[in-house]
Amino acid sequence: MPPVRHLLAVSAAAVLLALATSVHAIEFTAPSFAESKISYEALADRFEDNLAFQSPVANFPGLSTPFSAHHVLELLKLPMLPAHGVPAVKFLHGVASGDPLVDAVIIWTRVTPAAGNAPVAVVQYQVATDSAFASIVKRGVVVTSEDVGHSVKVDVKGLNPATTYFYRFMANDDTSPVGRTKTLVSNTADLASLNLAVVSCANMQHGYYHAYEAIAKRNDIDIVLALGDYIYEYDKTGYPPVGGELPASRDPVPDKNLANITDYRTRYAQYKTDPQLQLLHAQKPWIVVWDDHEFANDAWMGGAENQNVTRDGPWDARKVAAMRAFHENIPIRPSHAHGDEYRVYRSFQIGNLVDLLMLDTRIDGRTQQGAGDSASRKIMGAEQEQWLHSSLKSSKAKWRIIGNQIMFATLPENINPALLPPGFPAAAAADLKSSDTWNGYPTSRKALLDVLYQNKINNTVMLTGDFHGSVASDIPADGSGIPKPNAPSVMTEFVGPSITSASPAQDSAILNEYIKPLVGGINPSAKWADLYRHGYMFVAVTPAKVRVEYTYVKSVKMLDGGATAVAALLETASGSNRITTALQP
């Protein structure tokens, strides 16, 4: 029992009211919070109805954040009917929704105290079937505080399948922007189509989020899949942009390598002030996993490439801080882990069309890249690997889609410098090597291929981030880049471009023409490659095929560079396990 509950003398009536109004949060049917007669004592006792206070891993409650005793006292001092006037808090970071289910969805916001006031805030939420909120189906209230960076996360349950909902938050006299979200179809529904937008690698310092805005303005996208690197952890000089500087307003805040919970919360808060990111969060539900930069560059379970104990403190403490900040700021449910405290891998059944498997190939059980005998390296923990393999074998859906952080297609251990153009950046050459991809973990890679081949599992598509470039490939059963009669293609992989982060060709069309042929030489199964443009993948799934459109923006360096174009269209026909169509419009 959280310590705060020992500090409160909550009446039996208040507890019964809280339990009667909702299974998971304090909901009410009265026209307003004041008329609902819910007491602040009940709110304080049920502070974990705001999921931001809960542990990111439900069966490890020690990772939760308590509602501080002095904030309980601040809450109890608040008037039940706040005076009309300047609000105590503002909604400056937009709204978001995520992890949609058949009957539930997570909704999120963050409040900002006005003039340093309001260490605690009472936040109401409304969910309706119309944007004017004439038909409200859920309304409730939670408390937030600086204990969790003033984040608000609510798991809204009891919703209808395949239904569009609108939601908003209110605190005192201020109201948040309106968000739009949608629940999944029932698990047994015959779903004719599913459209996804796949994004990753959005360094705010490197460019404008035009791709986010372009996705938000489309009416044909059901869900955004975010495959990691939602934020970047560097200081201003740690990962400078290429191809031109942007205004100082996009420089990292705080200007330091992130190391503690305050650092990570502040960086998320900065990113979430971006209007293009806010627009996309408000328009579509997201399903998100982390990659390395939510922690530190080239992270693994025991450290990271740029981890410096003197500067950053112990890795374990930094990792927990990064994980908690992710949990507070991303609309994701607390998970249940099996012997592991850092679980974000999970699955979504979307009708009878798609089983979506979201992996964690970064933190969960991953051993250090490039270290020791390659045969002994593991890209994920044993529990996750067993879950992945069994999920693929038991899936009855038409398609299995794997959301994955790092490239699976063939890459070499090293690049011959003689093959690169003079002066080609070492960092860009490193992007083409395999140590930080599935190739650097050959035992884990072969195990997945064997599961697909030996069990004759068809219609598996892997969607990948991290690389900052676009590569679409067939994946042969023997792991090479060349399908053979005894090692046919067992799945296809589509690696997506970055939203803004510098590409392997350093955002240069000229360098792209030099190094793009290397991809074909390394991986003959690649059907498309572009190593310099930024944008997103549009993925359309039907029973007959999966279509992937590589959609690029004109320029991430210019405010008016948001025009988009489809540069390649690729299709995987059902039963083929390979790319059957590759067009360049």
Side-chain angles (χ1 to χ4, degrees):
M1 178 178 290
V4 67
R5 299 190 182 181
H6 297 291
L7 299 172
L8 296 171
V10 182
S11 69
V15 173
L16 289 173
L17 173 64
L19 294 176
T21 52
S22 174
V23 176
H24 287 274
I26 299 183
E27 295 180 358
F28 56 87
T29 57
S32 69
F33 168 56
E35 292 173 278
S36 72
K37 307 301 183 184
I38 297 170
S39 69
Y40 285 148
E41 288 88 349
L43 275 178
D45 187 63
R46 293 281 297 272
F47 70 96
E48 284 191 329
D49 289 345
N50 178 358
L51 299 185
F53 285 101
Q54 292 189 17
S55 169
V57 183
N59 51 325
F60 285 84
L63 296 175
S64 63
T65 295
F67 188 27
S68 300
H70 63 284
H71 287 153
V72 173
L73 297 177
E74 291 287 341
L75 175 64
L76 299 182
K77 292 178 184 177
L78 293 177
M80 203 56 167
L81 293 171
H84 184 76
V86 178
V89 298
K90 294 182 180 295
F91 294 96
L92 303 180
H93 298 85
V95 298
S97 71
D99 273 18
L101 300 177
V102 170
D103 60 352
V105 69
I106 302 288
I107 59 174
W108 175 95
T109 193
R110 182 181 186 273
V111 299
T112 301
N117 297 322
V120 299
V122 175
V123 181
Q124 301 173 62
Y125 63 89
Q126 295 177 338
V127 179
T129 54
D130 66 303
S131 59
F133 290 83
S135 300
I136 296 174
V137 296
K138 296 285 181 179
R139 64 174 94 212
V141 61
V142 295
V143 65
T144 189
S145 73
E146 57 193 1
D147 297 310
V148 291
H150 289 101
S151 290
V152 175
K153 283 176 66 173
V154 178
D155 195 352
V156 183
K157 293 180 175 287
L159 303 177
N160 293 323
T163 302
T164 296
Y165 291 98
F166 299 86
Y167 63 96
R168 65 186 178 187
F169 299 88
M170 294 165 287
N172 287 23
D173 291 337
D174 206 21
T175 301
S176 74
V178 173
R180 182 179 184 270
T181 191
K182 189 175 183 179
T183 50
L184 300 183
V185 299
S186 68
N187 294 344
T188 58
D190 290 324
L191 187 61
S193 65
L194 176 71
N195 293 340
L196 309 171
V198 183
V199 301
S200 64
C201 308
N203 191 323
M204 192 174 190
Q205 186 184 8
H206 283 202
Y208 295 108
Y209 292 158
H210 295 317
Y212 284 160
E213 182 173 354
I215 297 167
K217 291 181 177 179
R218 294 184 66 154
N219 294 321
D220 58 348
I221 290 172
D222 300 304
I223 300 170
V224 176
L225 294 190
L227 299 178
D229 295 347
Y230 182 96
I231 64 165
Y232 278 71
E233 85 289 358
Y234 295 104
D235 63 11
K236 181 179 178 180
T237 61
Y239 187 23
V242 297
E245 294 285 333
L246 272 75
S249 60
R250 299 189 77 83
D251 288 347
V253 177
D255 186 11
K256 59 171 293 194
N257 284 280
L258 307 183
N260 57 51
I261 185 63
T262 300
D263 294 343
Y264 284 101
R265 282 173 178 161
T266 303
R267 188 66 57 85
Y268 276 102
Q270 180 198 12
Y271 274 53
K272 284 177 174 291
T273 60
D274 184 272
Q276 293 172 309
L277 175 58
Q278 287 191 18
L279 181 65
L280 180 52
H281 268 309
Q283 290 299 313
K284 317 286 183 185
W286 288 44
I287 296 176
V288 187
V289 288
W290 57 43
D291 195 18
D292 53 338
H293 292 290
E294 286 87 353
F295 295 84
N297 185 53
D298 285 358
W300 53 288
M301 67 176 180
E305 176 273 332
N306 71 340
Q307 165 68 8
N308 182 309
V309 175
T310 302
R311 180 193 65 199
D312 306 319
W315 171 249
D316 283 348
R318 187 183 188 190
K319 183 166 63 171
V320 169
M323 178 192 63
R324 166 142 283 284
F326 180 91
H327 164 71
E328 290 173 0
N329 287 280
I330 299 298
I332 181 176
R333 283 183 182 80
S335 65
H336 282 266
H338 303 280
D340 175 73
E341 297 185 9
Y342 305 98
R343 178 176 177 177
V344 293
Y345 65 89
R346 60 206 190 279
S347 63
F348 297 83
Q349 184 177 349
I350 308 176
N352 60 10
L353 182 63
V354 169
D355 279 344
L356 174 63
L357 307 174
M358 301 294 284
L359 305 186
D360 177 6
T361 53
R362 182 56 66 182
I363 296 297
D364 169 50
R366 176 176 173 159
T367 54
Q368 186 174 9
Q369 50 269 64
D373 179 11
S374 64
S376 65
R377 296 180 206 142
K378 298 292 290 181
I379 203 165
M380 62 181 67
E383 293 285 351
Q384 182 182 180
E385 187 170 58
Q386 180 182 13
W387 164 84
L388 172 61
H389 294 175
S390 64
S391 296
L392 289 168
K393 288 187 281 190
S394 64
S395 172
K396 304 300 183 184
K398 185 68 176 180
W399 294 93
R400 280 139 294 285
I401 294 182
I402 300 175
N404 166 58
Q405 288 94 339
I406 57 176
M407 186 181 289
F408 196 96
T410 304
L411 284 175
E413 285 285 346
N414 291 288
I415 295 288
N416 184 348
L419 299 176
L420 298 172
F424 190 77
D431 286 341
L432 299 173
K433 294 191 292 186
S434 68
S435 62
D436 195 47
T437 73
W438 279 82
N439 291 266
Y441 298 80
T443 300
S444 301
R445 189 170 184 264
K446 184 177 185 302
L448 177 54
L449 291 170
D450 287 348
V451 165
L452 295 172
Y453 181 62
Q454 294 171 7
N455 293 278
K456 297 181 173 59
I457 299 172
N458 295 318
N459 290 4
T460 302
V461 174
M462 182 174 279
L463 305 175
T464 300
D466 182 71
F467 186 59
H468 301 184
S470 306
V471 183
S473 306
D474 299 335
I475 307 296
D478 66 356
S480 71
I482 308 173
K484 311 173 187 69
N486 64 339
S489 180
V490 292
M491 71 173 178
T492 52
E493 182 191 33
F494 298 93
V495 182
S498 68
I499 294 295
T500 59
S501 302
S503 66
Q506 302 296 281
D507 292 5
S508 166
I510 295 174
L511 283 178
N512 184 54
E513 293 307 310
Y514 272 105
I515 65 173
K516 194 166 64 170
L518 287 177
V519 173
I522 294 164
N523 175 21
S525 290
K527 299 299 190 293
W528 165 257
D530 181 283
L531 306 181
Y532 84 101
R533 285 181 284 192
H534 304 281
Y536 65 96
M537 293 187 294
F538 173 78
V539 180
V541 187
T542 67
K545 63 187 176 182
V546 171
R547 185 178 82 252
V548 177
E549 298 176 3
Y550 281 94
T551 307
Y552 300 119
V553 300
K554 180 179 179 182
S555 172
V556 298
K557 303 298 181 184
M558 302 185 300
L559 273 173
D560 61 353
T564 61
V566 175
L569 186 156
L570 303 106
E571 294 179 342
T572 296
S574 177
S576 69
N577 300 326
R578 62 185 179 85
I579 295 170
T580 51
T581 302
L583 301 173
Q584 298 181 39

